[in-house]
Amino acid sequence: MEYKEFLKTTLPHLGLRWRRFRSKSIRKRIIGRLNELGLHSFSQYQSYILKKEEERWFLTGLLTVTISRFWRNARLFQALENTWLPAVLGRTSENEPLKIWSAGCASGEEPYSLLILWLESFAGSGRELRLLASDSDSHCLERAQQGLYSASSFREMPLHLRQKYFTNEKGTFFLRHDLTQRIEWFEHNLIWEAPPSNNNIIFCRNLVYTYFMDELQKEITRRFHQALVPKGLLVVGRKDRLPYGTEGLFRLVDHPLYERIDSPETI
Ligand SMILES: C[S@@+](CC[C@H](N)C(=O)[O-])C[C@H]1O[C@@H](n2cnc3c(N)ncnc32)[C@H](O)[C@@H]1O
């Protein structure tokens, strides 16, 4: 069995789009895994995967990229600051905290960016922020709570913010320690776990709508719809789109932001 055939016939069992994984570096990772297991061909590895559920989860982890960066898609952060966070605050009761969930948060770059944006522009509003961040990979969550980053993570973040919130020690950037505790971290797998409820905004960027197959995307989109408050926002990656068949659940308001639709059929 050739590599392409292996991807085409195996990845649908994991709910993943096989075309995303054709690169040489991923092929190398999979061959490394075959060697670790003492297997000699892609077809042997496929039979092994189909028999062992743990191996399916292991392979999913091996395939998914965990790279992220602060202020990823800087234009989006500008739109959040100028338009969307004020809009969401405007339609939330003053006594309620704003609840934001970063799903698939990698090593924390996304939730910390949101926290810093909040501290810079909204902390003086007297409103409270509840920020949740989850990932299926416990190592990512550990790294997130350590708050140590290399210079490449800051490509898109305004320099004055990096200087204000991080200390540079020989090229490693340390996040101000008190910030790690402002976020509720938890391990969560989007494929089979129910999301936290009553979110005002859900961020799910460069994961579900990048790697997962359409059916799984639709199922998770339905769960996101239920997990948002009326008119809540779902924010996806710059190149992500919601799949066909979810038009009744979300409307695109300002790419990559979608707003929950609350028609009688969907609530
Ligand atoms: C490419 S990173 C995206 C990080 C961030 N959202 C961003 O856009 O910069 C994808 C993250 O999704 C996580 N992930 C992969 N499969 C997942 C799953 N089934 N449930 C939750 N997180 C998952 C990976 O561990 C990784 O940290």
Side-chain angles (χ1 to χ4, degrees):
M1 181 188 280
E2 293 206 0
Y3 180 57
K4 187 171 153 189
E5 193 55 29
F6 167 79
L7 292 180
K8 234 176 162 169
T9 52
T10 314
L11 296 205
H13 294 280
L14 280 64
L16 299 175
R17 289 173 157 175
W18 69 271
R19 283 194 172 80
R20 295 271 162 197
F21 303 96
R22 282 178 296 179
S23 73
K24 281 197 184 135
S25 64
I26 291 181
R27 184 171 189 275
K28 231 165 122 184
R29 267 187 242 167
I30 295 183
I31 291 176
R33 180 63 179 160
L34 249 83
N35 293 338
E36 262 172 34
L37 294 168
L39 302 173
H40 304 292
S41 66
F42 287 122
S43 54
Q44 273 185 351
Y45 187 40
Q46 184 181 63
S47 315
Y48 185 81
I49 289 167
L50 296 183
K51 269 189 255 145
K52 291 202 181 261
E53 196 184 2
E54 314 90 81
E55 187 61 20
R56 293 202 280 281
W57 300 128
F58 186 88
L59 181 59
T60 309
L62 196 71
L63 293 175
T64 336
V65 174
T66 56
I67 295 168
S68 183
R69 57 182 179 272
F70 293 93
W71 247 252
R72 189 175 198 171
N73 187 2
R75 200 198 139 270
L76 165 70
F77 281 82
Q78 213 172 19
L80 286 169
E81 180 177 6
N82 297 334
T83 311
W84 294 102
L85 283 171
V88 173
L89 281 171
R91 55 189 183 227
T92 315
S93 144
E94 293 205 349
N95 314 320
E96 275 174 54
L98 192 75
K99 189 170 173 188
I100 301 183
W101 174 34
S102 164
C105 67
S107 301
E109 296 85 343
E110 180 175 272
Y112 286 135
S113 300
L114 295 167
L115 178 59
I116 291 172
L117 177 67
W118 177 267
L119 293 174
E120 286 294 306
S121 303
F122 301 95
S125 64
R127 305 290 296 271
E128 197 191 323
L129 172 68
R130 207 178 145 202
L131 193 47
L132 282 64
S134 64
D135 201 280
S136 58
D137 183 334
S138 59
H139 300 297
C140 280
L141 293 170
E142 276 166 30
R143 281 200 299 271
Q145 288 167 85
Q146 282 165 357
L148 307 187
Y149 300 93
S150 62
S152 62
S153 311
F154 298 93
R155 267 201 340 251
E156 290 192 73
M157 187 186 203
L159 181 62
H160 73 279
L161 294 179
R162 189 188 80 186
Q163 288 168 339
K164 183 167 171 186
Y165 290 94
F166 295 82
T167 36
N168 180 356
E169 287 181 27
K170 296 188 186 140
T172 300
F173 293 83
F174 290 72
L175 178 70
R176 246 177 52 191
H177 189 64
D178 57 306
L179 298 194
T180 60
Q181 287 137 27
R182 297 280 300 265
I183 297 175
E184 297 171 41
W185 306 98
F186 59 103
E187 206 174 314
H188 179 276
N189 194 311
L190 285 159
I191 297 179
W192 69 78
E193 286 182 273
S197 56
N198 287 321
N199 300 284
N200 295 95
I201 311 180
I202 297 176
F203 283 79
C204 185
R205 303 196 298 156
N206 306 300
L207 168 57
V208 170
Y209 305 104
T210 308
Y211 296 113
F212 292 1
M213 286 170 67
D214 280 8
E215 269 317 302
L216 191 53
Q217 289 190 14
K218 277 187 217 165
E219 195 180 317
I220 294 174
T221 307
R222 282 192 283 273
R223 283 188 225 143
F224 284 159
H225 182 271
Q226 286 174 0
L228 283 163
V229 301
K231 279 187 158 248
L233 298 177
L234 172 61
V235 183
V236 301
R238 201 165 55 81
K239 293 187 185 158
D240 294 341
R241 300 277 180 285
L242 293 199
Y244 289 113
T246 56
E247 300 76 13
L249 300 177
F250 287 97
R251 79 166 67 83
L252 185 63
V253 285
D254 180 13
H255 183 75
L257 284 106
Y258 290 82
E259 187 179 79
R260 180 182 134 136
I261 296 175
D262 296 292
S263 65
E265 305 88 69
T266 56
I267 45 181

